[in-house]
Amino acid sequence: MTSTSVPRRKVGGLKHGLEVVKTSLPTPSPAPAWQTSFDGFNIVEGRVGDHHAIQQLLTTLFHGASVGDFQAQIDDPFYEPNDRMLIKRDRNVVGHVHLTKRDIHFGPFQFPTTRVTDLGILPEYRGRECATQLDRKSTRLNSSHDQITYAASV
């Protein structure tokens, strides 16, 4: 049996007949070891809270990714928000790549793979090594896990 972290509730005083409930949330985990910065940009893992900004970025960049298409990606049973690497400047998402991890079965062999899709940088940040840095970081991350990496185009 596994236990899950549930926020603890503390009951404060009564205000106008209503019970005041304070909730203490668990502390977020520290940043991953691979998180890096360059020239004022930060490369970070995607989080659930980034989904709206990512969907807007993809719509801006590719002019075709609809809300339904994006929802289909995050509804995939194997999807994890940290499968996305983001480039942020301040708090704004300016670049993105989606890494889809799968196992390919070939006869008795099994090969872990990573499919690279939706690599894009906002036009005003192109030419500043953003895509190169995302590519290098994703390649390094995958090679450290013995992944076969391939790019997909539509």
Side-chain angles (χ1 to χ4, degrees):
M1 179 181 251
T2 60
S3 64
T4 57
S5 178
V6 177
R8 297 177 189 255
R9 293 177 57 183
K10 296 178 184 175
V11 178
L14 290 177
K15 284 191 175 182
H16 306 288
L18 299 173
E19 182 180 300
V20 178
V21 177
K22 298 178 185 174
T23 305
S24 63
L25 297 173
T27 7
S29 58
W34 61 261
Q35 186 173 351
T36 58
S37 298
F38 68 98
D39 294 336
F41 296 98
N42 295 311
I43 300 178
V44 298
E45 284 184 331
R47 299 176 306 165
V48 172
D50 295 318
H51 281 157
H52 181 71
I54 292 167
Q55 195 275 323
Q56 285 184 326
L57 176 78
L58 294 176
T59 300
T60 299
L61 292 173
F62 302 120
H63 306 289
S66 69
V67 175
D69 293 337
F70 187 75
Q71 187 64 43
Q73 285 181 358
I74 62 178
D75 284 344
D76 182 317
F78 298 105
Y79 174 77
E80 293 291 333
N82 63 1
D83 290 343
R84 298 177 185 275
M85 294 175 69
L86 309 175
I87 291 190
K88 289 188 173 186
R89 178 127 200 178
D90 301 320
R91 292 182 175 205
N92 301 317
V93 177
V94 300
H96 166 273
V97 67
H98 185 196
L99 306 171
T100 307
K101 295 172 180 65
R102 296 288 190 266
D103 288 334
I104 293 179
H105 299 270
F106 187 73
F109 303 103
Q110 182 175 338
F111 303 99
T113 64
T114 301
R115 178 180 177 210
V116 178
T117 57
D118 297 335
L119 172 61
I121 308 296
L122 284 174
E124 58 267 30
Y125 296 101
R126 292 181 186 156
R128 298 175 79 178
E129 298 290 314
C130 292
T132 304
Q133 292 291 334
L134 267 179
D135 182 51
R136 283 184 188 152
K137 189 55 71 177
S138 64
T139 302
R140 242 183 270 137
L141 183 65
N142 292 327
S143 65
S144 68
H145 296 294
D146 293 327
Q147 301 275 321
I148 298 169
T149 304
Y150 65 97
S153 61
V154 180

Short mmCIF file of all heavy atoms in Angstrom, two decimals, residues 58-116:
data_model
loop_
_atom_site.label_atom_id
_atom_site.label_comp_id
_atom_site.label_asym_id
_atom_site.label_seq_id
_atom_site.Cartn_x
_atom_site.Cartn_y
_atom_site.Cartn_z
N LEU A 58 2.72 27.16 -29.08
CA LEU A 58 2.63 26.26 -30.23
C LEU A 58 1.65 26.79 -31.27
O LEU A 58 1.90 26.67 -32.48
CB LEU A 58 2.23 24.86 -29.77
CG LEU A 58 3.26 24.14 -28.90
CD1 LEU A 58 2.71 22.80 -28.43
CD2 LEU A 58 4.57 23.96 -29.64
N THR A 59 0.55 27.39 -30.85
CA THR A 59 -0.40 27.98 -31.78
C THR A 59 0.24 29.15 -32.53
O THR A 59 0.09 29.30 -33.73
CB THR A 59 -1.67 28.45 -31.05
OG1 THR A 59 -2.27 27.32 -30.41
CG2 THR A 59 -2.68 29.06 -32.00
N THR A 60 1.01 29.97 -31.80
CA THR A 60 1.69 31.10 -32.42
C THR A 60 2.74 30.63 -33.43
O THR A 60 2.83 31.15 -34.53
CB THR A 60 2.39 31.96 -31.33
OG1 THR A 60 1.40 32.45 -30.44
CG2 THR A 60 3.14 33.12 -31.95
N LEU A 61 3.50 29.61 -33.06
CA LEU A 61 4.59 29.15 -33.91
C LEU A 61 4.14 28.35 -35.12
O LEU A 61 4.65 28.52 -36.21
CB LEU A 61 5.58 28.30 -33.10
CG LEU A 61 6.38 29.02 -32.02
CD1 LEU A 61 7.17 28.02 -31.20
CD2 LEU A 61 7.29 30.05 -32.66
N PHE A 62 3.19 27.45 -34.91
CA PHE A 62 2.85 26.48 -35.96
C PHE A 62 1.50 26.74 -36.62
O PHE A 62 1.12 26.03 -37.54
CB PHE A 62 2.91 25.06 -35.40
CG PHE A 62 4.28 24.73 -34.86
CD1 PHE A 62 4.43 24.38 -33.52
CD2 PHE A 62 5.40 24.77 -35.66
CE1 PHE A 62 5.69 24.09 -33.01
CE2 PHE A 62 6.66 24.48 -35.16
CZ PHE A 62 6.81 24.14 -33.83
N HIS A 63 0.76 27.74 -36.16
CA HIS A 63 -0.51 28.16 -36.76
C HIS A 63 -1.49 27.03 -37.05
O HIS A 63 -2.34 27.15 -37.91
CB HIS A 63 -0.25 28.93 -38.07
CG HIS A 63 0.67 30.07 -37.92
ND1 HIS A 63 0.33 31.22 -37.26
CD2 HIS A 63 1.96 30.24 -38.33
CE1 HIS A 63 1.34 32.06 -37.26
NE2 HIS A 63 2.36 31.49 -37.90
N GLY A 64 -1.39 25.94 -36.37
CA GLY A 64 -2.30 24.86 -36.67
C GLY A 64 -2.60 23.99 -35.47
O GLY A 64 -3.54 23.23 -35.47
N ALA A 65 -1.77 24.10 -34.45
CA ALA A 65 -2.00 23.30 -33.25
C ALA A 65 -3.22 23.84 -32.53
O ALA A 65 -3.19 24.93 -31.97
CB ALA A 65 -0.78 23.34 -32.34
N SER A 66 -4.29 23.10 -32.59
CA SER A 66 -5.52 23.56 -31.94
C SER A 66 -5.51 23.14 -30.47
O SER A 66 -4.69 22.33 -30.04
CB SER A 66 -6.73 22.96 -32.64
OG SER A 66 -6.79 21.56 -32.39
N VAL A 67 -6.46 23.67 -29.73
CA VAL A 67 -6.61 23.29 -28.33
C VAL A 67 -6.88 21.78 -28.24
O VAL A 67 -6.35 21.10 -27.38
CB VAL A 67 -7.75 24.10 -27.67
CG1 VAL A 67 -8.00 23.63 -26.26
CG2 VAL A 67 -7.44 25.58 -27.69
N GLY A 68 -7.67 21.25 -29.18
CA GLY A 68 -7.97 19.81 -29.19
C GLY A 68 -6.73 18.96 -29.44
O GLY A 68 -6.55 17.92 -28.82
N ASP A 69 -5.86 19.41 -30.37
CA ASP A 69 -4.61 18.68 -30.64
C ASP A 69 -3.73 18.65 -29.39
O ASP A 69 -3.16 17.62 -29.04
CB ASP A 69 -3.83 19.33 -31.78
CG ASP A 69 -4.53 19.21 -33.12
OD1 ASP A 69 -5.37 18.28 -33.27
OD2 ASP A 69 -4.23 20.03 -34.01
N PHE A 70 -3.62 19.80 -28.75
CA PHE A 70 -2.80 19.88 -27.55
C PHE A 70 -3.39 19.02 -26.44
O PHE A 70 -2.67 18.30 -25.74
CB PHE A 70 -2.67 21.34 -27.09
CG PHE A 70 -1.70 21.50 -25.95
CD1 PHE A 70 -0.34 21.43 -26.18
CD2 PHE A 70 -2.16 21.73 -24.67
CE1 PHE A 70 0.56 21.58 -25.13
CE2 PHE A 70 -1.27 21.87 -23.62
CZ PHE A 70 0.09 21.81 -23.84
N GLN A 71 -4.70 19.05 -26.29
CA GLN A 71 -5.37 18.24 -25.27
C GLN A 71 -5.14 16.76 -25.53
O GLN A 71 -4.94 15.97 -24.60
CB GLN A 71 -6.87 18.55 -25.23
CG GLN A 71 -7.60 17.89 -24.07
CD GLN A 71 -7.13 18.38 -22.71
OE1 GLN A 71 -6.93 19.57 -22.50
NE2 GLN A 71 -6.92 17.46 -21.79
N ALA A 72 -5.13 16.36 -26.80
CA ALA A 72 -4.87 14.96 -27.14
C ALA A 72 -3.46 14.55 -26.71
O ALA A 72 -3.26 13.43 -26.24
CB ALA A 72 -5.05 14.74 -28.65
N GLN A 73 -2.48 15.45 -26.84
CA GLN A 73 -1.12 15.15 -26.40
C GLN A 73 -1.08 14.91 -24.89
O GLN A 73 -0.46 13.97 -24.43
CB GLN A 73 -0.16 16.29 -26.73
CG GLN A 73 0.22 16.40 -28.17
CD GLN A 73 1.20 17.54 -28.40
OE1 GLN A 73 1.58 18.27 -27.48
NE2 GLN A 73 1.62 17.70 -29.65
N ILE A 74 -1.72 15.78 -24.14
CA ILE A 74 -1.62 15.64 -22.68
C ILE A 74 -2.55 14.55 -22.14
O ILE A 74 -2.38 14.12 -21.00
CB ILE A 74 -1.84 16.99 -21.94
CG1 ILE A 74 -3.21 17.57 -22.18
CG2 ILE A 74 -0.77 17.97 -22.33
CD1 ILE A 74 -3.47 18.86 -21.43
N ASP A 75 -3.50 14.08 -22.97
CA ASP A 75 -4.35 12.96 -22.56
C ASP A 75 -3.70 11.60 -22.81
O ASP A 75 -4.23 10.58 -22.37
CB ASP A 75 -5.70 13.01 -23.29
CG ASP A 75 -6.63 14.07 -22.72
OD1 ASP A 75 -6.36 14.55 -21.60
OD2 ASP A 75 -7.60 14.42 -23.40
N ASP A 76 -2.57 11.59 -23.53
CA ASP A 76 -1.85 10.33 -23.78
C ASP A 76 -1.53 9.69 -22.43
O ASP A 76 -1.02 10.35 -21.54
CB ASP A 76 -0.56 10.64 -24.54
CG ASP A 76 0.25 9.41 -24.89
OD1 ASP A 76 0.38 8.52 -24.03
OD2 ASP A 76 0.76 9.34 -26.01
N PRO A 77 -1.82 8.40 -22.25
CA PRO A 77 -1.59 7.77 -20.94
C PRO A 77 -0.13 7.76 -20.50
O PRO A 77 0.16 7.65 -19.32
CB PRO A 77 -2.11 6.34 -21.12
CG PRO A 77 -2.43 6.17 -22.54
CD PRO A 77 -2.43 7.49 -23.20
N PHE A 78 0.80 7.90 -21.44
CA PHE A 78 2.22 7.91 -21.08
C PHE A 78 2.78 9.32 -20.93
O PHE A 78 3.95 9.50 -20.64
CB PHE A 78 3.04 7.16 -22.15
CG PHE A 78 2.66 5.71 -22.26
CD1 PHE A 78 1.91 5.27 -23.34
CD2 PHE A 78 3.02 4.80 -21.29
CE1 PHE A 78 1.54 3.94 -23.45
CE2 PHE A 78 2.66 3.47 -21.39
CZ PHE A 78 1.93 3.04 -22.48
N TYR A 79 1.95 10.34 -21.12
CA TYR A 79 2.42 11.72 -21.07
C TYR A 79 2.77 12.16 -19.66
O TYR A 79 2.06 11.86 -18.70
CB TYR A 79 1.34 12.65 -21.63
CG TYR A 79 1.70 14.11 -21.48
CD1 TYR A 79 2.61 14.69 -22.35
CD2 TYR A 79 1.15 14.89 -20.48
CE1 TYR A 79 2.96 16.02 -22.21
CE2 TYR A 79 1.49 16.22 -20.34
CZ TYR A 79 2.41 16.78 -21.21
OH TYR A 79 2.74 18.10 -21.07
N GLU A 80 3.87 12.87 -19.55
CA GLU A 80 4.28 13.52 -18.31
C GLU A 80 4.62 14.97 -18.66
O GLU A 80 5.26 15.22 -19.68
CB GLU A 80 5.51 12.85 -17.70
CG GLU A 80 5.28 11.45 -17.20
CD GLU A 80 4.38 11.38 -15.97
OE1 GLU A 80 4.34 12.36 -15.20
OE2 GLU A 80 3.69 10.37 -15.81
N PRO A 81 4.21 15.94 -17.84
CA PRO A 81 4.53 17.34 -18.16
C PRO A 81 6.04 17.58 -18.32
O PRO A 81 6.44 18.41 -19.12
CB PRO A 81 3.98 18.11 -16.96
CG PRO A 81 2.90 17.23 -16.43
CD PRO A 81 3.37 15.83 -16.66
N ASN A 82 6.86 16.83 -17.59
CA ASN A 82 8.30 17.04 -17.70
C ASN A 82 8.90 16.41 -18.95
O ASN A 82 10.11 16.40 -19.12
CB ASN A 82 9.02 16.59 -16.44
CG ASN A 82 8.88 15.11 -16.17
OD1 ASN A 82 8.25 14.38 -16.93
ND2 ASN A 82 9.46 14.66 -15.08
N ASP A 83 8.05 15.88 -19.86
CA ASP A 83 8.51 15.44 -21.17
C ASP A 83 8.76 16.64 -22.08
O ASP A 83 9.23 16.49 -23.20
CB ASP A 83 7.47 14.53 -21.86
CG ASP A 83 7.33 13.18 -21.19
OD1 ASP A 83 8.22 12.79 -20.42
OD2 ASP A 83 6.31 12.51 -21.45
N ARG A 84 8.45 17.81 -21.61
CA ARG A 84 8.66 19.03 -22.38
C ARG A 84 9.82 19.81 -21.75
O ARG A 84 9.89 19.93 -20.55
CB ARG A 84 7.40 19.90 -22.37
CG ARG A 84 6.21 19.22 -23.02
CD ARG A 84 4.97 20.08 -22.94
NE ARG A 84 3.82 19.37 -23.45
CZ ARG A 84 3.48 19.32 -24.73
NH1 ARG A 84 4.19 19.96 -25.63
NH2 ARG A 84 2.42 18.64 -25.12
N MET A 85 10.68 20.31 -22.62
CA MET A 85 11.74 21.20 -22.17
C MET A 85 11.39 22.59 -22.68
O MET A 85 11.01 22.76 -23.84
CB MET A 85 13.10 20.75 -22.71
CG MET A 85 13.53 19.41 -22.14
SD MET A 85 15.06 18.79 -22.88
CE MET A 85 16.23 19.94 -22.23
N LEU A 86 11.50 23.55 -21.81
CA LEU A 86 11.11 24.92 -22.15
C LEU A 86 12.30 25.86 -22.00
O LEU A 86 13.16 25.64 -21.15
CB LEU A 86 10.00 25.40 -21.22
CG LEU A 86 8.79 24.50 -21.06
CD1 LEU A 86 7.85 25.08 -20.01
CD2 LEU A 86 8.08 24.35 -22.39
N ILE A 87 12.30 26.89 -22.81
CA ILE A 87 13.23 27.99 -22.60
C ILE A 87 12.38 29.15 -22.10
O ILE A 87 11.36 29.50 -22.73
CB ILE A 87 13.97 28.38 -23.88
CG1 ILE A 87 14.93 27.27 -24.26
CG2 ILE A 87 14.72 29.69 -23.68
CD1 ILE A 87 15.88 27.61 -25.37
N LYS A 88 12.77 29.67 -20.97
CA LYS A 88 12.04 30.80 -20.39
C LYS A 88 12.97 32.00 -20.27
O LYS A 88 14.15 31.87 -19.98
CB LYS A 88 11.50 30.44 -19.00
CG LYS A 88 10.37 29.44 -19.04
CD LYS A 88 9.75 29.27 -17.67
CE LYS A 88 8.50 28.40 -17.75
NZ LYS A 88 7.82 28.33 -16.44
N ARG A 89 12.40 33.15 -20.53
CA ARG A 89 13.08 34.42 -20.29
C ARG A 89 12.19 35.13 -19.30
O ARG A 89 11.03 35.38 -19.58
CB ARG A 89 13.19 35.22 -21.57
CG ARG A 89 13.84 36.55 -21.34
CD ARG A 89 14.96 36.69 -22.26
NE ARG A 89 15.89 37.69 -21.80
CZ ARG A 89 16.96 37.96 -22.43
NH1 ARG A 89 17.25 37.29 -23.52
NH2 ARG A 89 17.77 38.87 -22.00
N ASP A 90 12.71 35.41 -18.13
CA ASP A 90 11.92 35.86 -16.99
C ASP A 90 10.91 34.74 -16.72
O ASP A 90 11.29 33.63 -16.48
CB ASP A 90 11.26 37.22 -17.24
CG ASP A 90 12.29 38.32 -17.53
OD1 ASP A 90 13.35 38.30 -16.86
OD2 ASP A 90 12.05 39.14 -18.41
N ARG A 91 9.63 35.00 -16.82
CA ARG A 91 8.63 33.94 -16.61
C ARG A 91 7.93 33.54 -17.90
O ARG A 91 7.00 32.75 -17.88
CB ARG A 91 7.58 34.40 -15.59
CG ARG A 91 8.15 34.54 -14.22
CD ARG A 91 7.09 34.96 -13.26
NE ARG A 91 7.66 34.96 -11.92
CZ ARG A 91 6.96 34.81 -10.83
NH1 ARG A 91 5.66 34.65 -10.92
NH2 ARG A 91 7.54 34.83 -9.66
N ASN A 92 8.37 34.09 -19.01
CA ASN A 92 7.72 33.86 -20.29
C ASN A 92 8.35 32.67 -21.02
O ASN A 92 9.57 32.57 -21.11
CB ASN A 92 7.81 35.10 -21.17
CG ASN A 92 7.16 36.30 -20.52
OD1 ASN A 92 6.09 36.18 -19.95
ND2 ASN A 92 7.81 37.44 -20.58
N VAL A 93 7.50 31.80 -21.57
CA VAL A 93 7.97 30.67 -22.37
C VAL A 93 8.28 31.20 -23.76
O VAL A 93 7.40 31.71 -24.44
CB VAL A 93 6.91 29.55 -22.44
CG1 VAL A 93 7.40 28.42 -23.33
CG2 VAL A 93 6.60 29.01 -21.04
N VAL A 94 9.56 31.09 -24.18
CA VAL A 94 9.96 31.60 -25.50
C VAL A 94 10.41 30.47 -26.43
O VAL A 94 10.60 30.68 -27.62
CB VAL A 94 11.07 32.67 -25.38
CG1 VAL A 94 10.58 33.85 -24.56
CG2 VAL A 94 12.35 32.10 -24.82
N GLY A 95 10.58 29.25 -25.89
CA GLY A 95 10.98 28.12 -26.70
C GLY A 95 10.47 26.82 -26.10
O GLY A 95 10.18 26.75 -24.90
N HIS A 96 10.38 25.78 -26.95
CA HIS A 96 9.76 24.54 -26.50
C HIS A 96 10.25 23.37 -27.34
O HIS A 96 10.52 23.51 -28.53
CB HIS A 96 8.24 24.69 -26.67
CG HIS A 96 7.49 23.41 -26.57
ND1 HIS A 96 7.27 22.58 -27.66
CD2 HIS A 96 6.89 22.80 -25.52
CE1 HIS A 96 6.57 21.53 -27.27
NE2 HIS A 96 6.33 21.65 -25.98
N VAL A 97 10.37 22.21 -26.72
CA VAL A 97 10.55 20.95 -27.42
C VAL A 97 9.83 19.87 -26.62
O VAL A 97 9.83 19.90 -25.39
CB VAL A 97 12.04 20.59 -27.64
CG1 VAL A 97 12.76 20.28 -26.35
CG2 VAL A 97 12.18 19.42 -28.61
N HIS A 98 9.17 18.96 -27.34
CA HIS A 98 8.44 17.87 -26.69
C HIS A 98 9.21 16.58 -26.96
O HIS A 98 9.49 16.23 -28.10
CB HIS A 98 7.03 17.78 -27.27
CG HIS A 98 6.17 16.76 -26.59
ND1 HIS A 98 5.01 16.30 -27.13
CD2 HIS A 98 6.29 16.12 -25.41
CE1 HIS A 98 4.45 15.42 -26.32
NE2 HIS A 98 5.22 15.29 -25.27
N LEU A 99 9.56 15.87 -25.89
CA LEU A 99 10.31 14.61 -25.97
C LEU A 99 9.37 13.48 -25.57
O LEU A 99 8.95 13.41 -24.42
CB LEU A 99 11.52 14.65 -25.04
CG LEU A 99 12.45 15.84 -25.23
CD1 LEU A 99 13.48 15.90 -24.11
CD2 LEU A 99 13.12 15.78 -26.58
N THR A 100 9.02 12.62 -26.51
CA THR A 100 8.11 11.51 -26.24
C THR A 100 8.93 10.24 -26.08
O THR A 100 9.59 9.81 -27.03
CB THR A 100 7.09 11.34 -27.38
OG1 THR A 100 6.46 12.59 -27.62
CG2 THR A 100 6.05 10.30 -27.04
N LYS A 101 8.90 9.65 -24.91
CA LYS A 101 9.67 8.44 -24.64
C LYS A 101 8.81 7.19 -24.90
O LYS A 101 7.69 7.12 -24.42
CB LYS A 101 10.20 8.44 -23.22
CG LYS A 101 11.19 9.56 -22.98
CD LYS A 101 11.56 9.67 -21.51
CE LYS A 101 12.54 10.77 -21.27
NZ LYS A 101 12.07 12.10 -21.54
N ARG A 102 9.36 6.25 -25.65
CA ARG A 102 8.68 4.99 -25.96
C ARG A 102 9.72 3.88 -26.04
O ARG A 102 10.91 4.15 -26.22
CB ARG A 102 7.96 5.05 -27.32
CG ARG A 102 6.82 6.05 -27.39
CD ARG A 102 5.61 5.58 -26.59
NE ARG A 102 4.45 6.39 -26.83
CZ ARG A 102 4.10 7.42 -26.09
NH1 ARG A 102 4.81 7.78 -25.07
NH2 ARG A 102 3.01 8.09 -26.37
N ASP A 103 9.26 2.65 -25.91
CA ASP A 103 10.11 1.48 -26.13
C ASP A 103 9.72 0.86 -27.45
O ASP A 103 8.54 0.64 -27.71
CB ASP A 103 9.95 0.45 -25.01
CG ASP A 103 10.58 0.90 -23.71
OD1 ASP A 103 11.52 1.72 -23.74
OD2 ASP A 103 10.14 0.42 -22.66
N ILE A 104 10.71 0.58 -28.29
CA ILE A 104 10.46 -0.11 -29.55
C ILE A 104 10.85 -1.56 -29.36
O ILE A 104 11.95 -1.86 -28.90
CB ILE A 104 11.27 0.53 -30.70
CG1 ILE A 104 10.75 1.94 -30.97
CG2 ILE A 104 11.20 -0.34 -31.95
CD1 ILE A 104 11.50 2.67 -32.07
N HIS A 105 9.94 -2.45 -29.72
CA HIS A 105 10.19 -3.89 -29.60
C HIS A 105 10.49 -4.43 -30.99
O HIS A 105 9.70 -4.26 -31.92
CB HIS A 105 8.97 -4.60 -29.01
CG HIS A 105 8.65 -4.10 -27.64
ND1 HIS A 105 9.19 -4.67 -26.51
CD2 HIS A 105 7.88 -3.08 -27.21
CE1 HIS A 105 8.75 -4.02 -25.44
NE2 HIS A 105 7.95 -3.04 -25.85
N PHE A 106 11.65 -5.06 -31.13
CA PHE A 106 12.08 -5.62 -32.39
C PHE A 106 12.51 -7.06 -32.12
O PHE A 106 13.62 -7.30 -31.63
CB PHE A 106 13.22 -4.80 -32.98
CG PHE A 106 13.62 -5.21 -34.36
CD1 PHE A 106 12.81 -4.91 -35.45
CD2 PHE A 106 14.80 -5.90 -34.56
CE1 PHE A 106 13.18 -5.29 -36.71
CE2 PHE A 106 15.17 -6.27 -35.84
CZ PHE A 106 14.37 -5.97 -36.92
N GLY A 107 11.60 -7.98 -32.37
CA GLY A 107 11.88 -9.38 -32.03
C GLY A 107 12.09 -9.50 -30.53
O GLY A 107 11.30 -8.97 -29.74
N PRO A 108 13.16 -10.13 -30.11
CA PRO A 108 13.41 -10.28 -28.67
C PRO A 108 14.06 -9.05 -28.04
O PRO A 108 14.29 -9.01 -26.84
CB PRO A 108 14.39 -11.47 -28.61
CG PRO A 108 15.13 -11.40 -29.90
CD PRO A 108 14.12 -10.89 -30.92
N PHE A 109 14.34 -8.02 -28.86
CA PHE A 109 15.04 -6.84 -28.36
C PHE A 109 14.07 -5.70 -28.06
O PHE A 109 13.04 -5.56 -28.69
CB PHE A 109 16.07 -6.36 -29.39
CG PHE A 109 17.06 -7.42 -29.77
CD1 PHE A 109 16.94 -8.08 -30.98
CD2 PHE A 109 18.07 -7.78 -28.90
CE1 PHE A 109 17.83 -9.07 -31.34
CE2 PHE A 109 18.98 -8.76 -29.24
CZ PHE A 109 18.86 -9.41 -30.46
N GLN A 110 14.48 -4.89 -27.11
CA GLN A 110 13.69 -3.72 -26.73
C GLN A 110 14.63 -2.53 -26.68
O GLN A 110 15.68 -2.58 -26.04
CB GLN A 110 13.06 -3.96 -25.36
CG GLN A 110 12.18 -2.85 -24.88
CD GLN A 110 11.49 -3.22 -23.57
OE1 GLN A 110 11.33 -4.38 -23.24
NE2 GLN A 110 11.08 -2.21 -22.85
N PHE A 111 14.27 -1.46 -27.38
CA PHE A 111 15.10 -0.27 -27.46
C PHE A 111 14.35 0.94 -26.92
O PHE A 111 13.29 1.29 -27.44
CB PHE A 111 15.51 0.02 -28.91
CG PHE A 111 16.22 -1.10 -29.58
CD1 PHE A 111 15.55 -1.97 -30.41
CD2 PHE A 111 17.58 -1.29 -29.36
CE1 PHE A 111 16.21 -3.01 -31.05
CE2 PHE A 111 18.25 -2.34 -29.99
CZ PHE A 111 17.57 -3.20 -30.83
N PRO A 112 14.89 1.61 -25.89
CA PRO A 112 14.25 2.85 -25.44
C PRO A 112 14.54 3.95 -26.45
O PRO A 112 15.67 4.10 -26.92
CB PRO A 112 14.93 3.12 -24.10
CG PRO A 112 16.22 2.38 -24.14
CD PRO A 112 16.04 1.24 -25.09
N THR A 113 13.52 4.70 -26.81
CA THR A 113 13.67 5.77 -27.79
C THR A 113 13.04 7.06 -27.27
O THR A 113 12.21 7.04 -26.36
CB THR A 113 13.00 5.43 -29.13
OG1 THR A 113 11.60 5.32 -28.92
CG2 THR A 113 13.55 4.15 -29.73
N THR A 114 13.46 8.15 -27.87
CA THR A 114 12.85 9.45 -27.59
C THR A 114 12.57 10.13 -28.92
O THR A 114 13.48 10.30 -29.74
CB THR A 114 13.78 10.33 -26.74
OG1 THR A 114 14.05 9.67 -25.52
CG2 THR A 114 13.13 11.68 -26.45
N ARG A 115 11.34 10.50 -29.13
CA ARG A 115 10.92 11.21 -30.34
C ARG A 115 10.90 12.71 -30.02
O ARG A 115 10.30 13.14 -29.04
CB ARG A 115 9.53 10.74 -30.74
CG ARG A 115 8.97 11.44 -31.93
CD ARG A 115 7.59 10.88 -32.23
NE ARG A 115 7.00 11.60 -33.33
CZ ARG A 115 5.70 11.78 -33.48
NH1 ARG A 115 4.87 11.27 -32.59
NH2 ARG A 115 5.24 12.43 -34.50
N VAL A 116 11.58 13.49 -30.85
CA VAL A 116 11.67 14.93 -30.65
C VAL A 116 10.68 15.61 -31.58
O VAL A 116 10.75 15.44 -32.79
CB VAL A 116 13.10 15.44 -30.95
CG1 VAL A 116 13.19 16.94 -30.79
CG2 VAL A 116 14.11 14.74 -30.05
#
